[in-house]
């Protein structure tokens, strides 16, 4: 829960953008518990340019369940401000009725019950319906569709085809530009090959050739839409070679490169840009900081941290838009652009309720085509869950607990470590766990489940390092992801403290004894960034565990204690 002071500060900031209420067709429909396609998609004409934004789809072509985080801790100047507001606080801040479609789409509040009422969300064929209708109503020359990246990775079929399934479908959707992050984990050769197959530019102003220190990708491009010149600068995830294996992309260097962004803003302005858009995969807090430090950016379309906010956040003259993940939302930003400036805007975060929005026939056929070779494998049942499986949140989710249980059992380990990836869909209680569901939680190109020995001191160092990546008060040092998940071990954490002093009270759960700094423990984990890591792929480990234990009953995880 955040303080009344923080709540009032956030409310005042919100009111400065939106006025005193959140009037709109979606808000009214939500209050009345009614939805229609027109309620979700229809919008009055405004301005001369419509921006559509999708991001962090993570290769989810079909509708999914995805529970938003119950815990999303902000630190430093971001403490208590969106997007670090969840549950009842989020509903109160944005004046959302509990139990409404908005509450279901945007929070974890009563998710299990509301999932049964409102069903799945997303599906690229539904997204295509939104895009086609917008282009038809506004005209192709007045619409820009921009993809914030993390598009090609996160599913069985994407992993099997190295992103080819997503590329085929996105080429059909016809975005005007994209940037990237997990795309790079297919390796430099595959990214270069795939980029050449795109029908639109792959932008990365902050990716350089490591040997020659020259740009490796097109940094920005100019569009003429609605009688205005619109510059789009691409910003790939700055810490890709740290958060993901460097050996997959040895020839490229990354970084925030704020000075490059500023340079490209000036170039765009000099070339006559009326509006400058940053298509970013920095993460929300990094973009909030960048907006305060780099003048001249009109709109930042944020990505990477999977935040979904129903209203913009304004920093100075820059508007930040957060469009969620997994295809759950499409952002629509209507801009009134005068000569050389953004005069006014209207914003709608469109929730993609799959039972309400009509699938686009052409996209639905393409999705079925790319999935057809794998249909039998995808549908194979491995087990069943008697409780909600989810991942997203700062600490262990129930999907993570299942993965850690499998690592402990199948790899005969005392302690399990599982990465705090934000991607991974949810699964309601009573559902079969299929191969597709499992791969939605772990499909990647470095899946080896290792087994090794680590000292208690090393385990604490790992936890401290990951916590600093997540909770560093300077957002430019936040390297993404949520806290590493643990099995067989508990600990306490104080996110407000400095590195080296956040983690305490580490305990082996089985014996209820403290973790000893000098003792070695058998540790199993996966997704090591080290080249040559050996072990079976994590999906085989979990599948074997489910075959031996076909009914999984999640329990509340009490292994992490919050201190402040």
């Amino acid at each position: 829960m955040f303080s009344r002071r923080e709540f009032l500060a956030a409310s005042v900031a919100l009111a400065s953008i939106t006025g005193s209420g959140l009037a709109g067709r979606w808000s009214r429909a939500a209050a009345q518990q009614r939805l229609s396609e027109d309620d979700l998609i229809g919008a009055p004409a405004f301005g001369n340019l419509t921006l559509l934004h999708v991001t962090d789809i993570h290769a989810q072509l079909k509708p999914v369940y995805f529970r938003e985080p119950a815990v999303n801790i902000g630190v430093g100047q971001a403490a208590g401000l969106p997007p670090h507001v969840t549950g009842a606080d989020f509903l109160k801040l944005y004046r959302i009725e509990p139990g409404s479609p908005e509450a279901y789409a945007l929070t974890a509040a009563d998710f299990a019950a509301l999932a049964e009422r409102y069903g799945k969300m997303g599906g690229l064929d539904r997204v295509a319906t939104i895009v086609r209708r917008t282009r038809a109503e506004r005209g192709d020359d007045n619409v820009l569709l921009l993809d914030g990246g993390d598009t090609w990775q996160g599913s069985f079929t994407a992993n099997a085809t190295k992103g080819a399934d997503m590329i085929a479908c996105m080429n059909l959707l016809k975005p005007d530009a994209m940037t990237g992050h997990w795309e790079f984990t297919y390796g430099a050769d595959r990214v270069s090959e795939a980029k050449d197959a795109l029908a639109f530019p792959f932008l990365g102003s902050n990716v350089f050739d490591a040997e020659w220190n020259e740009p490796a990708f097109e940094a920005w491009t100019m569009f003429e839409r609605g009688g205005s010149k619109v510059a789009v600068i691409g910003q790939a995830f700055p810490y890709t070679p740290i958060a993901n294996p460097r050996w997959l992309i040895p020839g490229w260097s990354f970084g925030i490169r704020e000075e490059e962004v500023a340079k490209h803003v000036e170039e765009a302005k000099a070339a006559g840009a009326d509006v400058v858009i940053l298509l970013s995969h920095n993460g929300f807090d990094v973009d909030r900081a960048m907006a305060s430090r780099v003048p001249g950016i009109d709109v930042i379309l944020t990505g990477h941290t999977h935040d979904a906010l129903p209203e913009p956040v304004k920093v100075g003259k820059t508007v930040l838009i957060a469009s969620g993940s997994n295809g759950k939302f499409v952002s629509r930003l209507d801009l009134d652009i005068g000569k050389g400036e953004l005069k006014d805007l209207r914003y709608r975060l469109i929730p993609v309720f799959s039972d309400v929005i009509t699938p686009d026939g052409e996209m639905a056929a393409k999705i079925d085509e790319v999935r057809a070779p794998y249909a039998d494998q995808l549908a194979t049942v491995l087990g069943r869950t008697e409780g909600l499986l989810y991942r997203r949140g700062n600490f262990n989710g129930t999907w993570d607990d299942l993965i850690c249980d499998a690592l402990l059992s199948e790899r005969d380990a005392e302690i399990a470590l599982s990465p705090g990836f934000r991607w991974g869909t949810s699964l309601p209680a009573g559902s079969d766990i299929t191969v597709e569901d499992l791969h939605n939680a772990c499909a990647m190109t470095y899946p080896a489940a290792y087994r090794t020995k680590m000292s208690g001191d090393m385990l604490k160092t790992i936890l401290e390092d990951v916590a600093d990546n997540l909770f560093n008060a300077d957002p430019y040092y936040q390297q993404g992801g949520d806290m590493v998940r643990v099995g067989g071990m508990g600990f306490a954490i104080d996110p407000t403290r400095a590195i080296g002093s956040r983690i305490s009270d580490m305990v082996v759960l089985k014996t209820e004894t403290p973790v000893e700094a000098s003792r070695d423990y058998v540790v199993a984990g996966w997704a090591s960034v080290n080249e040559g890591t050996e072990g079976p792929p994590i999906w085989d480990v979990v599948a074997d565990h489910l075959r031996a234990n076909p009914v999984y009953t999640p329990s509340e995880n009490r292994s992490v204690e919050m201190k402040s």
Side-chain angles (χ1 to χ4, degrees):
M1 302 292 284
F2 62 122
S3 71
R4 182 174 182 275
R5 179 191 66 80
E6 292 165 336
F7 177 80
L8 291 174
S11 298
V12 169
L14 179 66
S16 70
I17 300 169
T18 66
S20 59
L22 296 177
R25 295 189 205 176
W26 183 24
S27 298
R28 290 196 298 271
Q32 298 165 6
Q33 299 290 294
R34 280 205 319 267
L35 288 173
S36 73
E37 187 166 297
D38 275 344
D39 287 324
L40 298 179
I41 303 177
F46 178 85
N48 56 331
L49 172 66
T50 295
L51 284 178
L52 297 177
H53 179 233
V54 293
T55 190
D56 296 279
I57 294 175
H58 282 290
Q60 296 306 316
L61 291 169
K62 291 284 193 177
V64 299
Y65 293 102
F66 183 80
R67 175 188 181 271
E68 299 294 336
V71 180
N72 185 355
I73 299 168
V75 292
Q77 294 182 347
L81 296 177
H84 305 291
V85 185
T86 62
D89 288 331
F90 189 101
L91 300 180
K92 188 175 180 181
L93 174 61
Y94 290 104
R95 304 175 186 88
I96 296 172
E97 185 73 21
S100 67
E102 286 176 299
Y104 169 60
L106 291 163
T107 74
D110 205 17
F111 180 85
L114 296 180
E116 186 174 353
R117 181 185 304 176
Y118 296 117
K120 293 183 178 182
M121 298 189 68
L124 203 65
D125 50 2
R126 277 78 166 179
V127 172
T129 294
I130 296 170
V131 172
R132 285 183 187 272
R133 175 166 169 172
T134 305
R135 284 171 170 159
E137 292 177 348
R138 295 288 280 165
D140 287 347
D141 290 339
N142 297 307
V143 177
L144 275 178
L145 171 61
L146 300 173
D147 172 11
D150 275 4
T151 305
W152 305 347
Q153 175 274 336
S155 73
F156 182 104
T157 57
N159 219 36
T161 64
K162 296 184 178 180
D165 62 332
M166 292 304 302
I167 292 169
C169 291
M170 292 304 288
N171 275 340
L172 185 60
L173 193 66
K174 299 178 182 177
D176 293 285
M178 73 173 293
T179 190
H181 169 206
W182 275 89
E183 286 77 8
F184 294 107
T185 64
Y186 289 117
D189 290 344
R190 173 57 180 151
V191 172
S192 296
E193 174 189 50
K195 178 176 69 71
D196 293 339
L198 295 178
F200 48 90
F202 188 111
L203 303 176
S205 66
N206 58 329
V207 187
F208 276 56
D209 180 282
E211 181 176 0
W212 301 103
N213 198 34
E214 295 176 347
F217 292 86
E218 186 179 359
W220 67 279
T221 189
M222 187 83 84
F223 299 94
E224 291 197 17
R225 293 288 192 278
S228 298
K229 288 187 175 182
V230 183
V232 177
I233 303 169
Q235 181 81 349
F237 179 53
Y239 293 107
T240 298
I242 299 173
N244 308 104
R246 183 183 297 272
W247 55 269
L248 288 169
I249 43 172
W252 294 332
S253 66
F254 292 69
I256 294 176
R257 301 188 193 270
E258 178 186 287
E259 70 286 350
E260 289 295 320
V261 176
K263 181 183 78 173
H264 297 314
V265 171
E266 290 301 316
E267 290 172 350
K269 292 287 188 181
D274 298 296
V275 168
V276 177
I277 311 296
L278 183 66
L279 178 61
S280 171
H281 208 88
N282 281 332
F284 195 94
D285 287 346
V286 177
D287 282 328
R288 181 169 15 217
M290 181 170 283
S292 70
R293 296 162 61 108
V294 178
I297 304 173
D298 295 287
V299 177
I300 299 181
L301 302 173
T302 73
H304 179 61
T305 40
H306 291 199
D307 309 299
L309 297 179
E311 299 294 340
V313 170
K314 195 170 185 181
V315 179
K317 294 183 178 181
T318 304
V319 173
L320 277 69
I321 300 298
S323 305
S325 66
N326 291 277
K328 279 182 68 176
F329 303 96
V330 176
S331 279
R332 174 172 174 160
L333 191 61
D334 293 300
L335 305 179
D336 181 13
I337 305 170
K339 188 63 177 176
E341 65 174 346
L342 175 59
K343 296 166 64 177
D344 200 0
L345 61 87
R346 299 288 185 273
Y347 177 65
R348 298 192 66 190
L349 180 66
I350 302 171
V352 186
F353 286 98
S354 63
D355 290 338
V356 179
I357 298 174
T358 305
D360 176 80
E362 186 179 12
M363 182 63 79
K366 176 60 69 173
I367 291 171
D368 289 344
E369 176 189 323
V370 299
R371 287 169 54 90
Y374 312 98
D376 290 343
Q377 291 168 279
L378 294 171
T380 300
V381 175
L382 301 170
R384 180 179 178 84
T385 180
E386 293 302 314
L388 174 69
L389 295 182
Y390 68 91
R391 170 179 284 161
R392 179 73 176 99
N394 286 157
F395 305 107
N396 277 53
T398 49
W399 257 123
D400 306 299
D401 292 337
L402 171 55
I403 291 171
C404 286
D405 288 350
L407 286 166
L408 291 171
S409 173
E410 301 301 315
R411 302 293 282 160
D412 190 22
E414 296 172 274
I415 293 170
L417 300 178
S418 188
F421 297 141
R422 291 190 178 93
W423 51 272
T425 58
S426 305
L427 200 60
S431 300
D432 287 336
I433 304 172
T434 65
V435 166
E436 178 166 25
D437 298 322
L438 174 58
H439 281 253
N440 284 346
C442 56
M444 58 187 302
T445 58
Y446 48 106
Y450 60 83
R451 184 178 185 272
T452 189
K453 288 186 177 181
M454 295 184 186
S455 68
D457 184 64
M458 178 179 289
L459 285 165
K460 184 175 189 297
T461 297
I462 290 171
L463 293 177
E464 289 281 2
D465 284 349
V466 177
D468 196 57
N469 291 343
L470 182 59
F471 299 120
N472 195 300
D474 184 343
Y476 275 21
Y477 288 93
Q478 295 175 8
Q479 296 173 16
D482 284 313
M483 190 62 190
V484 61
R485 281 53 164 128
V486 297
M489 181 178 73
F491 63 92
I493 182 170
D494 183 348
T496 65
R497 297 180 69 89
I499 187 171
S501 59
R502 290 189 179 96
I503 306 298
S504 62
D505 302 327
M506 295 168 59
V507 61
V508 178
L509 296 179
K510 186 175 182 179
T511 60
E512 297 184 354
T513 56
V515 172
E516 301 175 34
S518 59
R519 185 194 149 184
D520 284 341
Y521 296 86
V522 178
V523 178
W526 64 289
S528 170
V529 299
N530 296 319
E531 188 173 10
T533 300
E534 296 182 351
I538 186 62
W539 46 80
D540 283 354
V541 173
V542 180
D544 287 345
H545 183 68
L546 284 170
R547 291 186 185 103
N549 306 273
V551 178
Y552 183 71
T553 303
S555 58
E556 184 178 358
N557 188 298
R558 299 183 180 275
S559 62
V560 180
E561 177 188 355
M562 285 288 300
K563 291 187 175 182
S564 59

